[in-house]
Amino acid sequence: MTLHQKLKLAKSEEDVKDAYIKALGLKGYSKNLIDIQTKEIWFEAKDSGRNSTYAMFTQLMHYVQDALNKGHYIPPFLCVIDTHKAAIMKTADVLPFLEKKTIKWGKSASGYTQEALDAVSAYIGTYFVSFKIETHEEEFISTIKNAIKNGDIIRTQITPDNLKQVFDKWVLMIGREINGVAEEDYALLFFADIMSDGTISTHENLPAELLHKNNAPVFSLGGKNYELGNKDGYRQFWAIYHRPPKAEYRNYLLERRDSLIPLDERSFKGAFYTPLAVVDKAYDKLTETLGNNWQKEYIVWDMCCGVGNLEVKHSNHRNIYMSTLDEADIDVMKATKTCVAAQRFQYDYLNDDIADDGSIDYSLTNKIPEGLRKAIADKKKILILINPPYGEAGNTGTITNGGEHKTDIGSTKIGNHMNDYGYATRELFTQFIARITKEIPTATVAMFSKLKYVNAPNFENFRQLWNAKYLGGFVVHSKSFEGLKGNFPIGFLVWKTNMTSNQNISITEIVTDVLDKNVIPIGEKKFYNIPNQYFLSEWFKRPRSNKEDALPLKNAVTPASVTKDLRGAKWSDNAIGSILSNSNMLQNASTLTAIFSSGFGSAGAFFINPENLWQVAVTFSVRRLIKPTWLNDRDQFLQPTEELSDEFKTDCLIWMLFNGSNLTASANDLEWNDKKWSIVNHFIPFTEQEVNAPDRFESDFMVQYMSDKKFSAEAKAVLEEGRILWKAYFDHTDVRSVRDELKLNRPDVGWYQIRKALQARNSSGDFPPVSFKNFETAYKYLSEKLQPMVYELGFLKV
């Protein structure tokens, strides 16, 4: 939970203090008259946002004045915090003011006089750095931690790499407060502002000039003066950033002024464009991994640029090549004047200039600009910066920006020459990578995509062929991308490829930053590339089918609809049922894990027998115990790395028997393939006497199987509460419609049938209500016991 989220839940000043202490990782703190004291910082805290920053600093400075008078220790920093905002300043900046001892403070810190508030407010306005926690939580935390570590409030330098990002924030905090100025003039005023230390400009004869009137900034442009409607944003902005820029950057920054236009999300079209907040994080990550001057050093090619929102944060558009499949995208960029200094052109990267033998021949279309051809030929530093389509062959739901379905994804020209890539051939984004590795074998690739190519088992061939070193990256919630369905991580990963080397760089694991759907950092996540032989699906051999006919099911008591050549239509020696256990990804475990009383008509199913039952129970349980989230859905289930205790095995058995995806059942007269079938339930953990059954169960397999087992207290509690429900089922006979729907025509009914029947009775109001509460509580305790063991025993990696 973020600091902002915790503050929204705060009910007292103590809650506010504790939230900040944890978020900032404060050590050696105390809570006294001064709300939070550390060696480095004193904090004044409030439990709402009603108090002004000036009022809170006035209270805090009362304590500083008192310590100063008494010769006591004073920290280097002062900070005020509440549920909405925070601010920090250096104590040294206010000591000359306090040493005059001219302020009439009042009887206590909270009882400050209006005179004290006025005097403090007039003095400190240019000294403190303030933050709105909802939008600048990360910057606040970073500033405080840097102050503690480095002994200074470090303002951010303006560089070629962050120029566009700084400009966008300047427009938001300052530009829109300049009365009467046109938006197209923002860039001129921005440079006048940053190329000044506040009074003296670094350059003469700039088109605009920063002046001062009554101690307030005023901008001069074209013979007219423009004043700020509100000065708070101006002070806050320049409390964060350092000015002027370093001398080595100044002329270069001025050359980039043609790239600065105010950005608005609404100016970009297309279903899956990269949100500007995500683009900001991507550029921060590129600076972190490639260095401060990457925008100057690298030629950038985005071969699926859409309408260019991935490039608008770039400060050197002349280094950019932007190509897109749709000519209409080029027209949009021209109309909106997006990246006007870049070279923009229509190009079908997966089909254009690919010869019949799979080689690249630019003369086939002559679309590639000469400068880009030369950069490739000269082996210049090239960065591929892309957010490619995520379509998969055979998926008719893949939509183009124009709203049309993409078909024949796998039959692109580059796809036809990916013979060794295996399953990855079906993915559009890996088709892009395949051509990039052939065309620019030592490129740096910074790509938005799903994480399949890092850890999915189907991409093992791809990983063996792609020689790339991971440099860094982050994953962000798919919900931050407008138009994407589902909950999954989208990675922005930076790789240095070296396809010319004979030494393979294998991907074993990568560590990424994690951003939530609001693009707020919330931690780190590891993704692992593990050879297929270690997956849980390879833990034990699947029993072979024999020649005996079996009824293939598609649900507990519903026969499969296809009548021939169907999986599960042949039985197996000593089988008692089957398990569906398809895909090793956690994403699919909740929908592709179940057990049945006959064969299951689908891939990923296999038969259960007395020998493999304990492994089936463990497999079933570990696949369903951990709930999929947007972040873990690509995690792979693995074989255990620790020895499994008998208690763990029996706990898993009971957990499986009473899980909602235990679809074992009994039924007579099920029709399939012009024949009537019966299914027998071998998964009843009770005798007829224990549940007051009216007739004999055909199988007592599970009772006999469990007879020599020892069960934990948690498992026994589930068994007892389950027995009560089983017994309640036999207390009454269900109405005809329920009996027909659930096929309740045998005494050896299964857990699925019992649950559904009891729920139908409760809903009807015609039967005495049966409570599931005690059972659910017992089952919850067993689940909570087993869940951490999934990780402890190695079935999933953190």
Side-chain angles (χ1 to χ4, degrees), residues 94 131 144 150 217 266 323 339 351 433 446 498 519 614 665 681-682 684 744 769 787:
V94 295
F131 303 86
I144 298 296
N150 301 307
R266 293 171 296 179
S323 59
C339 301
N351 291 292
I433 292 177
N498 190 2
V519 201
W614 74 269
N681 182 12
H682 296 282
I684 304 175
L744 303 177
Q787 282 164 344

Side-chain angles (χ1 to χ4, degrees), residues 314-380:
H314 201 290
S315 300
N316 187 8
H317 291 165
R318 294 184 182 279
N319 268 11
I320 301 176
Y321 293 88
M322 304 166 67
S323 59
T324 178
L325 179 64
D326 298 321
E327 186 70 45
D329 289 339
I330 304 296
D331 296 336
V332 169
M333 285 191 284
K334 289 179 178 177
T336 58
K337 298 182 179 179
T338 300
C339 301
V340 292
Q343 295 208 45
R344 306 164 297 188
F345 57 103
Q346 186 281 327
Y347 196 71
D348 184 351
Y349 192 71
L350 302 184
N351 291 292
D352 283 348
D353 292 336
I354 299 173
D356 291 341
D357 63 356
S359 62
I360 310 297
D361 182 355
Y362 295 138
S363 67
L364 293 176
T365 67
N366 285 316
K367 291 181 181 179
I368 297 290
E370 185 59 37
L372 180 55
R373 295 192 200 188
K374 190 172 188 306
I376 294 171
D378 292 346
K379 296 182 173 54
K380 288 190 175 180

Side-chain angles (χ1 to χ4, degrees), residues 494-512:
V494 185
W495 305 88
K496 181 66 178 78
T497 63
N498 190 2
M499 300 303 294
T500 60
S501 172
N502 293 324
Q503 183 178 1
N504 182 259
I505 305 172
S506 60
I507 304 168
T508 54
E509 66 179 59
I510 66 170
V511 181
T512 68

Side-chain angles (χ1 to χ4, degrees), residues 23 34 38 86 115 167 350 385 439 470 496 527 531 678 721 753 763:
I34 299 167
T38 73
E115 180 182 342
F167 173 69
L350 302 184
L385 179 61
E439 188 171 15
Y470 176 66
K496 181 66 178 78
F527 295 89
S678 293
E721 295 302 331
Q753 293 165 302
S763 298

Side-chain angles (χ1 to χ4, degrees), residues 471-761:
L471 301 182
F474 61 78
V475 293
V476 62
H477 198 307
S478 59
K479 291 297 185 185
S480 66
F481 287 71
E482 185 178 330
L484 281 183
K485 295 181 180 179
N487 292 285
F488 54 89
I490 293 177
F492 178 74
L493 309 183
V494 185
W495 305 88
K496 181 66 178 78
T497 63
N498 190 2
M499 300 303 294
T500 60
S501 172
N502 293 324
Q503 183 178 1
N504 182 259
I505 305 172
S506 60
I507 304 168
T508 54
E509 66 179 59
I510 66 170
V511 181
T512 68
D513 299 330
V514 178
L515 311 178
D516 67 12
K517 63 183 178 182
N518 298 315
V519 201
I520 301 296
I522 57 173
E524 289 186 345
K525 167 72 175 170
K526 286 185 179 180
F527 295 89
Y528 301 91
N529 168 30
I530 295 171
N532 289 2
Q533 72 245 34
Y534 296 107
F535 289 139
L536 184 59
S537 57
E538 306 299 317
W539 192 25
F540 57 97
K541 291 183 178 180
R542 302 184 175 201
R544 292 184 177 181
S545 298
N546 57 28
K547 295 182 179 180
E548 182 182 348
D549 290 339
L551 170 66
L553 298 168
K554 66 177 180 182
N555 208 320
V557 290
T558 307
S561 53
V562 181
T563 58
K564 61 180 180 178
D565 299 328
L566 196 65
R567 300 172 191 267
K570 294 295 182 182
W571 203 243
S572 179
D573 295 346
N574 301 317
I576 56 173
S578 66
I579 178 173
L580 171 63
S581 177
N582 198 3
S583 172
N584 271 292
M585 279 194 295
L586 181 55
Q587 172 196 34
N588 299 316
S590 60
T591 55
L592 297 177
T593 308
I595 58 172
F596 304 86
S597 283
S598 189
F600 184 72
S602 176
F606 58 93
F607 285 100
I608 308 171
N609 59 39
E611 288 70 37
N612 69 17
L613 176 57
W614 74 269
Q615 287 176 301
V616 166
V618 170
T619 298
F620 177 99
S621 298
V622 299
R623 283 174 58 89
R624 293 197 63 89
L625 275 161
I626 304 301
K627 300 300 181 186
T629 67
W630 75 270
L631 187 56
N632 70 14
D633 80 332
R634 294 292 169 187
D635 290 358
Q636 304 288 329
F637 288 104
L638 305 170
Q639 297 173 31
T641 55
E642 305 293 331
E643 185 177 350
L644 307 183
S645 67
D646 289 340
E647 182 173 308
F648 177 77
K649 295 174 186 177
T650 53
D651 279 349
C652 286
L653 176 66
I654 300 305
W655 198 88
M656 177 183 74
L657 291 178
F658 289 93
N659 185 267
S661 288
N662 171 5
L663 303 183
T664 57
S666 69
N668 291 330
D669 300 326
L670 298 179
E671 295 185 5
W672 181 76
N673 203 13
D674 300 324
K675 183 179 175 181
K676 287 191 175 181
W677 300 76
S678 293
I679 53 175
V680 178
N681 182 12
H682 296 282
F683 290 79
I684 304 175
F686 309 112
T687 65
E688 295 88 341
Q689 292 79 11
E690 287 178 296
V691 293
N692 288 344
D695 208 342
R696 180 178 180 272
F697 298 158
E698 185 166 338
S699 170
D700 68 344
F701 168 81
M702 192 55 64
V703 170
Q704 296 302 322
Y705 182 82
M706 293 168 51
S707 63
D708 62 348
K709 305 287 190 295
K710 291 183 179 180
F711 294 95
S712 66
E714 294 85 356
K716 287 178 181 177
V718 172
L719 270 170
E720 176 56 23
E721 295 302 331
R723 185 190 66 80
I724 293 171
L725 294 176
W726 222 289
K727 184 178 179 182
Y729 166 78
F730 287 117
D731 285 344
H732 299 276
T733 301
D734 293 283
V735 297
R736 180 60 180 268
S737 60
V738 173
R739 298 203 309 272
D740 288 347
E741 178 188 352
L742 298 176
K743 304 295 187 291
L744 303 177
N745 49 28
R746 293 171 59 108
D748 50 349
V749 289
W751 176 238
Y752 166 83
Q753 293 165 302
I754 287 172
R755 286 188 303 107
K756 294 295 184 183
L758 292 177
Q759 289 166 3
R761 292 180 197 175

